[in-house]
Amino acid sequence: MAVFTALHLDDIGQWLTQFPLGKPLALKGIASGIENSNFFLSTERGEYVLTIFENLSFEQLPFYLQLMRHLADRGVLVPAPIANADGELVTALQGKPAAIVSKLDGSSQMAPQAVHCAAVGAMLAKMHLAAQDFPLQQPNLRGLQWWNATTPLVLHHLDDARAHLLRAEIHFQDAFAACDTYKAIPRGPVHADLFRNNVMFDGEQLTGFFDFYFAGCDTWLFDVAVTVNDWCVDLATGVLDKVRVRALLDAYRAVRPFTHEEQTAWQAMLRAAALRFWLSRLYDFYQPREAEMLTPHDPTHFERILRERIATPAPELF
Ligand SMILES: Nc1ncnc2c1ncn2[C@@H]1O[C@H](COP(=O)(O)OP(=O)(O)O)[C@@H](O)[C@H]1O
Ligand SMILES: N[C@@H](CCOP(=O)(O)O)C(=O)O
C-alpha cells in the first residue's frame, strides 16, 4: 500500500479496546497497494491487517466487509472481518472509516504457473456461486459509467494515437454494453481486481483472495477477464499464455460452466478488463495523490494489453 494516513502504535491503544483482540503489540505500514492505508497489526490474540479507507465511505464499506463475511461463511478463502463489541465491522479511526481483518498466510505468487492459475480459476468460480445469495447491492464503481466519466479527465494528456485508442474503445464498450449478448450474461458480486498481488499462496496451495475494495455487482465474465489479463499474460508483450489461460478457464468452468453468450462476449470482455486498468492507471498517473510510500502503476502495460486483445482473437472459453 501507500500510507496515506500515518499511524503509530500509540495512536490505536484506546481505539483497539472495542475489539476482542487484546493489547496491540506492533503496527507496521505495508508498502504495497495504492488505494488504502494498510498496516500489519500484531496483538495479544494474533496477526491482523488494519485498513484505513481513503476513498470509500462509511455507507459503502458494509458491502465489502459483509461480502467477505458471507464468502468466508461459505468456505471461500478470504480474510475474516473482526467485529467490535457492538457487532460493527467498520469504525472511525483518525476521522476515517477503518476495519480489521484476519491476516492470510503465505505470499503473493508473482510468477504463476498453470497450477496456480487453476487454483485461482476454481476459487473464483466458487466465489461467484457463493455470492449469488448475498443480499446487499452495489454496482462496480469502476465500471462503464466510471470509464465514461474518467476518459475526459485523462484524454488531453495523451498523444493522438493513444487518445484515438481510448475514444474508440470507450465507444466500442458503450455499444457492447447495450447489446443483447451483454445483457444475457450472468452477473452478481465480483472481486473486480483479482490480480496476482491480491491472492495469497503457500507454495501451490491458495490461502486466500483479499483486497475486496473494488468489488461490486457486475458480470462474472468481467471478473474472469480481469483475472486472466493479469495471471495468464506474458508481461513483456501482453500476449496471453495459452497454457495458463487453459488451466484457469478449465478449472473455473469445472465449478461454474460458461454460457454460450459468455463465449460470444469473451473478447469484448477481455478488452473491457484491459481498458478499465489502463484508465485507472492513467488517472492515477496524471492526477497523483499525496501519500507516503506510493508507487504508481505503469499505464503502458495495460495499453499494450488492450491493443493485443483488440488485435488477437480471444481463446475459446470452453
Ligand atoms: N488479509 C490480509 N492478509 C495478509 N496480507 C494482507 C492482507 N490484506 C492486505 N495484505 C497485505 O497488504 C498489501 C496491500 O494490501 P491491498 O489491499 O492490496 O492494498 P490497497 O487496497 O491499498 O491496494 C498486500 O499486498 C498484502 O501484502
Ligand atoms: N490492481 C490495480 C490497482 C489496484 O491496486 P491493488 O494493489 O489494490 O490491487 C492495478 O494493477 O492497476
Side-chain angles (χ1 to χ4, degrees), residues 33-35 193 195 197-198 211 214 277 280-281 297:
I34 61 165
E35 288 297 321
D193 186 27
F195 280 48
N197 66 327
N198 287 333
D211 198 1
F214 283 124
F277 288 97
S280 61
R281 288 180 173 204
H297 289 139

Side-chain angles (χ1 to χ4, degrees), residues 1-2 4 30-40 48-49 51 53 68 78-80 101-106 108 193 197-198 200 209-214 297:
M1 105 177 155
F4 299 88
I30 307 175
S32 60
I34 61 165
E35 288 297 321
N36 301 308
S37 295
N38 295 298
F39 304 84
F40 288 127
Y48 303 91
V49 172
T51 300
F53 299 96
M68 287 159 73
V78 299
V101 300
S102 59
K103 184 179 175 196
L104 299 169
D105 290 335
S108 296
D193 186 27
N197 66 327
N198 287 333
M200 290 299 189
F209 291 174
F210 63 102
D211 198 1
F212 277 78
Y213 305 116
F214 283 124
H297 289 139

Side-chain angles (χ1 to χ4, degrees), residues 248-310:
L248 197 152
L249 295 179
D250 287 350
Y252 183 99
R253 73 190 176 94
V255 179
R256 202 280 294 176
F258 294 111
T259 67
H260 287 286
E261 287 83 3
E262 285 180 304
Q263 174 63 62
T264 307
W266 181 221
Q267 181 152 11
M269 211 55 89
L270 285 166
R271 290 169 60 166
L275 172 68
R276 181 267 181 246
F277 288 97
W278 185 34
L279 255 180
S280 61
R281 288 180 173 204
L282 285 171
Y283 181 77
D284 286 345
F285 189 81
Y286 290 114
Q287 321 260 336
R289 290 161 290 166
E290 290 288 323
E292 291 177 35
M293 304 160 75
L294 178 63
T295 312
H297 289 139
D298 173 19
T300 61
H301 176 66
F302 274 104
E303 178 193 342
R304 197 178 305 119
I305 291 180
L306 175 57
R307 290 185 189 280
E308 172 61 27
R309 297 298 171 274
I310 294 169

Side-chain angles (χ1 to χ4, degrees), residues 102-162:
S102 59
K103 184 179 175 196
L104 299 169
D105 290 335
S107 56
S108 296
Q109 174 50 261
M110 299 307 283
Q113 304 299 309
V115 65
H116 304 107
C117 294
V120 168
M123 188 63 73
L124 182 60
K126 184 173 176 173
M127 188 191 88
H128 289 161
L129 294 178
Q132 279 184 109
D133 61 344
F134 181 60
L136 303 186
Q137 288 285 331
Q138 181 161 282
N140 173 6
L141 299 175
R142 294 271 170 115
L144 189 68
Q145 204 179 344
W146 185 86
W147 310 342
N148 276 285
T150 304
T151 293
L153 305 179
V154 299
L155 211 47
H156 59 283
H157 292 289
L158 304 182
D159 62 28
D160 287 350
R162 289 188 171 98

Side-chain angles (χ1 to χ4, degrees), residues 223-236:
D223 220 11
V224 178
V226 168
T227 309
V228 163
N229 272 346
D230 188 65
W231 284 84
C232 308
V233 77
D234 177 80
L235 294 172

